[in-house]
Amino acid sequence: MISTRGFTHHTTKSLQPRRRFKQNMPLLIMFVPVIAYFIIFRYFPILGNVIAFKNYNLMDGIWGSPWVGLKYFKALFTQPQTLTIIRNTVTLSLLSIVAGFPFPIIIAILLNEVRAMRFKRIVQTLIYVPHFFSWVIVGGIVVTIFSQQSGIINKLLELWTGHTTAFLYQEHSWIAIFLGSGIWKEAGWGAIIYLAALTSIDTHLYEAASIDGASKWKQIWHVTLPGIRSTIILMLILSMGNVMEVGFDHVYTLQNAAVSDVSNVISTYIFIVGVQGGQFSLTTAVGLFESLVGFFFVVLANQLARKFDQGLW
């Protein structure tokens, strides 16, 4: 009798995975295109990184080209030009994270405090719109606004001071415009995730804090920010993966020869040297180095997050 119960229990337990598999079959089928996409367009192209260790040429192909070991990685760290490009990439990326990361959080918190729904929807729509513009359009708008001859900023500056400034041709002002245009384009869209996280906070916490006499600022500090802390850390870890990545379109539409010392980054270097110059092996080595550094920063950020029990793995 005991062995029968054991057999029955064992049989039921072994059937559970099969039953669960059949129940989830439609979801698994829907997930197949996603897996196929990542295999074909994300993982399979990784094999192409092998040309960073070869003297690649089109005639011999990827596998027929001769091996050269770490030749291009040594060139990467010995050429002054590539070191300057890596420095510019890291500088612009870190500045973008430091300057741009808080804005979506601030926008989300401010929108969460708005009680007039009509006004809230109008503001949300207005701040989301720039995300849908291409960098060609945004770059054109920025160049037009800050143009020394006809830009509205210089027109106002000329009325007040009698002088104009070449904002786009000076390194410090170019960096400020670069950061500002990035924040203007993406901050509103980035706030969506935090707005979704804010909806999970129990409203009774705000009522309890209000009864205890907490001001609006203290409610934000002690209720709102702790409520979305895990989301903030998650987004920070993901952004650290892009430390070595500056958008090509963003830089290319705003840069000019006068600010090339601070605006030449890895993505523009790959385009100019790799695509236009045909040095595929060297630019692949640069891209591989970029990916490895990004991976290192993601792991480092996750290790720091784990110390606060907020790590991803």
Side-chain angles (χ1 to χ4, degrees), residues 235-249:
M235 298 305 295
L236 181 62
I237 292 173
L238 293 177
S239 65
M240 292 303 290
N242 299 323
V243 164
M244 290 293 289
E245 183 179 344
V246 178
F248 169 78
D249 297 345

Side-chain angles (χ1 to χ4, degrees), residues 255-267:
Q255 74 173 175
N256 53 72
V259 294
S260 59
D261 287 342
V262 296
S263 64
N264 280 333
V265 294
I266 289 177
S267 56

Side-chain angles (χ1 to χ4, degrees), residues 81-140:
Q81 182 188 8
T82 54
L83 293 177
T84 302
I85 287 167
I86 291 172
R87 183 203 64 193
N88 292 342
T89 305
V90 173
T91 302
L92 291 178
S93 294
L94 288 178
L95 287 175
S96 297
I97 292 173
V98 172
F101 189 78
F103 276 89
I105 302 171
I106 295 171
I107 291 172
I109 292 174
L110 292 177
L111 287 174
N112 190 54
E113 296 297 327
V114 174
R115 294 294 173 263
M117 294 306 295
R118 186 179 178 84
F119 175 76
K120 183 177 180 178
R121 287 171 183 165
I122 292 173
V123 172
Q124 279 182 291
T125 304
L126 290 176
I127 62 176
Y128 293 165
V129 166
H131 171 77
F132 298 99
F133 294 161
S134 70
W135 274 114
V136 176
I137 297 174
V138 174

Side-chain angles (χ1 to χ4, degrees), residues 47-205:
L47 298 176
N49 285 321
V50 73
I51 68 173
F53 306 95
K54 290 191 164 195
N55 188 15
Y56 174 73
N57 61 81
L58 292 173
M59 298 301 294
D60 295 330
I62 293 177
W63 304 113
S65 300
W67 292 92
V68 293
L70 299 175
K71 173 186 173 182
Y72 292 108
F73 289 94
K74 292 176 181 175
L76 178 65
F77 292 105
T78 53
Q79 293 182 4
Q81 182 188 8
T82 54
L83 293 177
T84 302
I85 287 167
I86 291 172
R87 183 203 64 193
N88 292 342
T89 305
V90 173
T91 302
L92 291 178
S93 294
L94 288 178
L95 287 175
S96 297
I97 292 173
V98 172
F101 189 78
F103 276 89
I105 302 171
I106 295 171
I107 291 172
I109 292 174
L110 292 177
L111 287 174
N112 190 54
E113 296 297 327
V114 174
R115 294 294 173 263
M117 294 306 295
R118 186 179 178 84
F119 175 76
K120 183 177 180 178
R121 287 171 183 165
I122 292 173
V123 172
Q124 279 182 291
T125 304
L126 290 176
I127 62 176
Y128 293 165
V129 166
H131 171 77
F132 298 99
F133 294 161
S134 70
W135 274 114
V136 176
I137 297 174
V138 174
I141 294 172
V142 171
V143 171
T144 302
I145 290 175
F146 289 96
S147 170
Q148 189 173 9
Q149 287 77 30
S150 57
I152 186 172
I153 300 297
N154 269 310
K155 288 292 183 185
L156 294 173
L157 197 63
E158 191 173 15
L159 287 175
W160 292 333
T161 64
H163 303 284
T164 60
T165 302
F167 292 107
L168 293 168
Y169 296 92
Q170 297 178 9
E171 293 181 353
H172 290 90
S173 56
W174 185 89
I175 291 175
I177 292 170
F178 175 84
L179 298 176
S181 58
I183 292 171
W184 176 69
K185 188 175 185 299
E186 299 296 344
W189 184 256
I192 293 175
I193 295 174
Y194 297 107
L195 282 170
L198 287 169
T199 59
S200 64
I201 299 176
D202 190 351
T203 55
H204 292 93
L205 295 175

